[in-house]
Amino acid sequence: MKIFKQGILLLLFLLLFWVLLTSIDSQELIAGGVIVILLTLVFSRKAAVFGDFQITFKSLIYSIAYIFVFLAALVRSNLDVAFRVLSPKLPINPGIVKVKTSLNSKTGRLVLANSITLTPGTLTVETKGDHFYIHWIDVSTQDVDLASQEIVSKFEKYLEVMFG
Amino acid sequence: MAVFGGIITFVGSIFLLLGALGIVRMPDVYNRMQAGTKATTLGILLFLAGIAIGHIECMCIFRILILILFIIFTNPISSHALARAAHHIGIPLTDKSVTDALAEDESEKEEAIS
């Protein structure tokens, strides 16, 4: 059952990419695309790309909300970098801190690590089990729990619903 | 529409310029990575969006959407890989750094083994 669900999700995702890529104008194109996608699915049965994604109404809402949270963080992070680069004193206070995540799914952790890299002043350097090691451009706390609160928790509450 | 697209492209190129400036000004490899990743992501994103808006008649907006998606997914992964590799071969953090939890944990483990 799980593998079936995963296959359907992957099929829809690949089909979306195919439609975007070719800006569909004929039915043959879609048919050809579907055949190739089915072949791809047969050969990539074991690749668990969307295996962790929860298909519920709530998770869909959270996914959309997450996109906006992420974009806002991205813009803020860029203004932050711009400010630091342009100010003559170069106000940085860098260091590598350790944070803890409560996410269990692999995909969820991947998205979390990527989001951390793209948000203000943080860069994921290493992941080990439950812990991420994060290069922080402006270290305000070295405590694991406080740092987790500051860096991870704002994304975690969305990803927890999306990926479980 | 063309003017609006041009403005967005211009803002994007400013972010790219700031990213380049950050790579020159920052003191060590990790801080450079920070400037390099963030500024280029939004820079390229705005740049491509500006092109899509400026040339709206060419219907390339979907293809540009795919480009943006790929950049958002791959850019942080590549910079994470670079930073991780840099830390593994022992490139030091700048003198300004206050803490290095990863190096501490790794030296602890080595002591435990030996």
Side-chain angles (χ1 to χ4, degrees), chain A residues 73-92:
Chain A
L74 183 62
V75 171
R76 224 158 13 93
S77 116
N78 274 274
L79 295 176
D80 180 70
V81 167
F83 164 72
R84 283 181 208 282
V85 167
L86 285 179
S87 64
K89 270 200 204 144
L90 208 63
I92 56 172

Side-chain angles (χ1 to χ4, degrees), chain A residues 85 94 96 117 124 126 133, chain B residues 25 38 80 84 98-99 101 105:
Chain A
V85 167
I96 295 181
T117 300
T124 315
E126 174 73 290
Y133 295 87
Chain B
R25 286 204 65 196
K38 295 180 217 321
H80 160 69
R84 186 167 180 268
V98 283
T99 170
D105 280 11

Side-chain angles (χ1 to χ4, degrees), chain A residues 39-94:
Chain A
L39 271 177
T40 318
L41 284 180
V42 171
F43 287 116
S44 64
R45 275 191 307 262
K46 285 181 184 162
V49 186
F50 293 104
D52 302 325
F53 193 79
Q54 316 277 321
I55 320 175
T56 58
F57 183 67
K58 199 180 171 200
S59 103
L60 213 63
I61 298 287
Y62 270 62
S63 308
I64 293 165
Y66 182 74
I67 291 172
F68 285 103
V69 170
F70 173 75
L71 284 180
L74 183 62
V75 171
R76 224 158 13 93
S77 116
N78 274 274
L79 295 176
D80 180 70
V81 167
F83 164 72
R84 283 181 208 282
V85 167
L86 285 179
S87 64
K89 270 200 204 144
L90 208 63
I92 56 172
N93 181 26

Side-chain angles (χ1 to χ4, degrees), chain A residues 17 20-21 23 77-78 82 85 87-88 90 93-96 98 114 117-118 121-122 124-126 133 135 137, chain B residues 18 22 25 30-31 34 38-39 41-42 62-63 70 73 77 80 84 87-88 97-102 105-106:
Chain A
F17 258 65
L20 288 179
L21 201 60
S23 16
S77 116
N78 274 274
V85 167
S87 64
L90 208 63
N93 181 26
I96 295 181
K98 189 175 174 181
N114 275 0
T117 300
L118 286 176
T122 50
T124 315
V125 176
E126 174 73 290
Y133 295 87
H135 182 266
I137 210 165
Chain B
L18 286 173
R25 286 204 65 196
Y30 307 100
N31 289 306
Q34 296 250 13
K38 295 180 217 321
T41 311
L42 189 66
F62 296 120
R63 263 163 251 191
F70 274 131
F73 272 107
I77 294 178
H80 160 69
R84 186 167 180 268
H87 202 278
H88 264 271
S97 303
V98 283
T99 170
D100 189 348
L102 180 53
D105 280 11
E106 265 171 4

Side-chain angles (χ1 to χ4, degrees), chain B residues 54-81:
Chain B
H55 297 266
I56 204 143
E57 72 284 351
C58 82
M59 290 302 290
C60 44
I61 190 158
F62 296 120
R63 263 163 251 191
I64 283 176
L65 208 65
I66 286 187
L67 278 179
I68 288 174
L69 267 180
F70 274 131
I71 285 168
I72 286 183
F73 272 107
T74 53
N75 210 344
I77 294 178
S78 63
S79 63
H80 160 69

Side-chain angles (χ1 to χ4, degrees), chain A residues 22-35:
Chain A
T22 52
S23 16
I24 285 310
D25 39 21
S26 73
Q27 287 173 350
E28 289 95 21
L29 258 179
I30 297 183
V34 168
I35 291 169

